[in-house]
Amino acid sequence: MGAQKSIHAGKAKIDFNVDLTQKLCAALMLSPFRNSGSPLSLIIGSLYIKHPNLFGRSEKLDVSWDKGLDESNFFVAYRKPRPEWLPQRCFTIQHSISPEIGVHGLPVENFSRSGSGGVNLCRFSIGLDLNEPASSHWSSKTSIKFEHVRPVNDDGRSISKDLDGFPVTCSGSCHDSMVVLKQESQFAKEYDRSFDRLSLQIEQGIPVLSKWLIFNRFKFLASKGISLGPAFLLTSLTGGSIVGDIAPYQAFAIGGLGSVRGYGEGAVGSGRSFLVANSELTFPLNQMLEGAIFLDCGTDLCSGRHVPGNPALRHGKPGNGIGLGYSLRFKSHVGHFQVDYAINAFQQERVSFSFGKLAS
């Protein structure tokens, strides 16, 4: 159930979008490791407010709030227009709470699912984004932000150790603070029957105070798509590494949708470094339905032992994984529905569902 409302404030227009939906299908598929609580815990909601002319000079204000089954996110963005040849600035404030399943989650059913590990991350950040003017096939963004991370348990209480008594922060206290300088660059080029894409991301932790984290984190994504008659082949390689200070929640989690399918989120491993290769062949079945077959491979490059507390070893994660499967995808003018069936290296099957609205 949902509601939309638009109001006028002078010459400006403010759009409200409130959507409250009870996830009945999710309730039927809840993991036995998760306490569903009251029926209200199965309610998700969202609220969006957009003001295109806040102070009469085309300043844009975006406010959004999203509540999921286990997480919530509040985000504010303020943009002040500048000439096109100058970097566009955006001031942001964000507060989120989400379960840390990727690193601290417990793999179950031969690693095909991940149960709650009792660690949730409460994040608060405030920062500035600078979007550089696009040139040729390249685009880039630079941001700097202050981030405060506070792990909490399922009851919302601050914690400094996980269920096994190992630290969940880098500082050893109940929170970590850091200033992060981030540089993102993207390359995209399309041809008649193919495309190339490359994304590079570098984060540098700046130790403004002695107890704040100092690190360098690098991540890349390279992908190529090729049309093969009516079918389309997409291959990609993702990797990254982090040096310096590291909290367990900063480790690269391997496994799950967008990584190695056939495994639960983070069920392959979590390390300071990683590599994931994906190959997928899609083919149309009719105007609204298409099928796909895929093969995913991932590894932590034997870096799991370098994560504080070695959560991957304690949870028995293999560090390497292969997933093979097929997918059915239904698309219409109102949204899309996708079913993935995959089998992992432990010969355990996994079926996952995803729903979504198509962009208007």
Side-chain angles (χ1 to χ4, degrees):
M1 107 187 124
Q4 295 183 356
K5 179 68 175 178
S6 297
I7 64 174
H8 293 273
K11 297 181 179 180
K13 180 182 178 183
I14 304 177
D15 296 324
F16 294 84
N17 183 347
V18 180
D19 180 23
L20 295 176
T21 307
Q22 185 165 10
K23 289 287 193 178
L24 297 179
C25 61
L28 296 175
M29 299 175 63
L30 284 176
S31 167
F33 290 86
R34 179 181 178 273
N35 182 11
S36 59
S38 68
L40 292 178
S41 65
L42 303 180
I43 301 294
I44 68 170
S46 60
L47 170 65
Y48 301 93
I49 303 175
K50 295 185 178 182
H51 199 305
N53 194 20
L54 187 61
F55 299 114
R57 298 181 180 180
S58 299
E59 299 94 339
K60 294 179 172 59
L61 177 68
D62 294 338
V63 180
S64 66
W65 170 80
D66 294 279
K67 179 190 176 299
L69 293 173
D70 301 291
E71 65 278 333
S72 66
N73 183 62
F74 177 75
F75 183 75
V76 179
Y78 170 74
R79 301 173 178 86
K80 187 174 181 180
R82 305 184 76 192
E84 293 183 357
W85 63 86
L86 294 177
Q88 302 300 308
R89 296 181 299 187
C90 178
F91 297 91
T92 63
I93 299 175
Q94 185 172 14
H95 180 272
S96 65
I97 300 177
S98 60
E100 212 317 286
I101 298 178
V103 175
H104 293 97
L106 306 175
V108 294
E109 292 184 0
N110 285 337
F111 302 91
S112 66
R113 293 193 297 117
S114 294
S116 173
V119 179
N120 305 271
L121 296 182
C122 180
R123 296 176 181 265
F124 171 79
S125 66
I126 181 170
L128 171 66
D129 295 339
L130 296 174
N131 289 281
E132 301 290 339
S135 60
S136 183
H137 302 287
W138 285 94
S139 62
S140 63
K141 182 175 77 171
T142 303
S143 63
I144 185 168
K145 67 177 179 180
F146 165 79
E147 186 171 0
H148 180 84
V149 182
R150 181 171 60 92
V152 298
N153 60 17
D154 292 336
D155 296 325
R157 298 174 181 171
S158 297
I159 58 175
S160 60
K161 297 181 180 180
D162 62 15
L163 297 177
D164 296 325
F166 289 86
V168 292
T169 61
C170 179
S171 64
S173 66
C174 292
H175 64 82
D176 284 329
S177 297
M178 64 198 85
V179 172
V180 181
L181 178 64
K182 184 176 180 180
Q183 175 70 43
E184 297 177 87
S185 299
Q186 294 185 344
F187 171 84
K189 189 173 183 179
E190 296 185 2
Y191 307 93
D192 291 339
R193 300 179 59 84
S194 64
F195 69 80
D196 296 322
R197 291 177 184 169
L198 176 65
S199 175
L200 303 173
Q201 183 183 105
I202 299 177
E203 295 178 84
Q204 177 65 57
I206 303 174
V208 177
L209 298 180
S210 59
K211 293 185 178 180
W212 290 13
L213 276 63
I214 176 172
F215 60 90
N216 185 275
R217 178 185 173 105
F218 170 76
K219 185 177 180 180
F220 74 89
L221 168 62
S223 61
K224 185 175 183 64
I226 304 175
S227 295
L228 302 174
F232 190 80
L233 176 64
L234 176 64
T235 60
S236 64
L237 180 66
T238 310
S241 185
I242 181 172
V243 296
D245 296 335
I246 178 176
Y249 55 79
Q250 290 181 304
F252 296 101
I254 311 164
L257 292 175
S259 181
V260 182
R261 286 162 286 189
Y263 292 83
E265 184 179 351
V268 174
S270 52
R272 278 183 175 263
S273 304
F274 83 107
L275 277 177
V276 171
N278 307 96
S279 296
E280 181 176 280
L281 180 67
T282 60
F283 43 89
L285 300 176
N286 56 43
Q287 291 184 346
M288 293 188 298
L289 185 66
E290 68 177 18
I293 55 176
F294 56 83
L295 174 65
D296 302 331
C297 306
T299 174
D300 66 0
L301 300 173
C302 299
S303 64
R305 64 180 183 273
H306 300 302
V307 176
N310 201 346
L313 176 64
R314 289 187 285 115
H315 296 155
K317 299 179 182 181
N320 303 282
I322 299 176
L324 174 67
Y326 61 86
S327 175
L328 291 177
R329 300 163 187 177
F330 174 81
K331 295 183 179 180
S332 69
H333 65 283
V334 295
H336 67 268
F337 170 76
Q338 178 174 329
V339 181
D340 290 331
Y341 169 86
I343 185 169
N344 61 34
F346 294 88
Q347 302 298 308
Q348 181 67 29
E349 301 171 353
R350 175 177 173 84
V351 179
S352 54
F353 304 85
S354 63
F355 311 82
K357 290 183 178 180
L358 297 180
S360 58

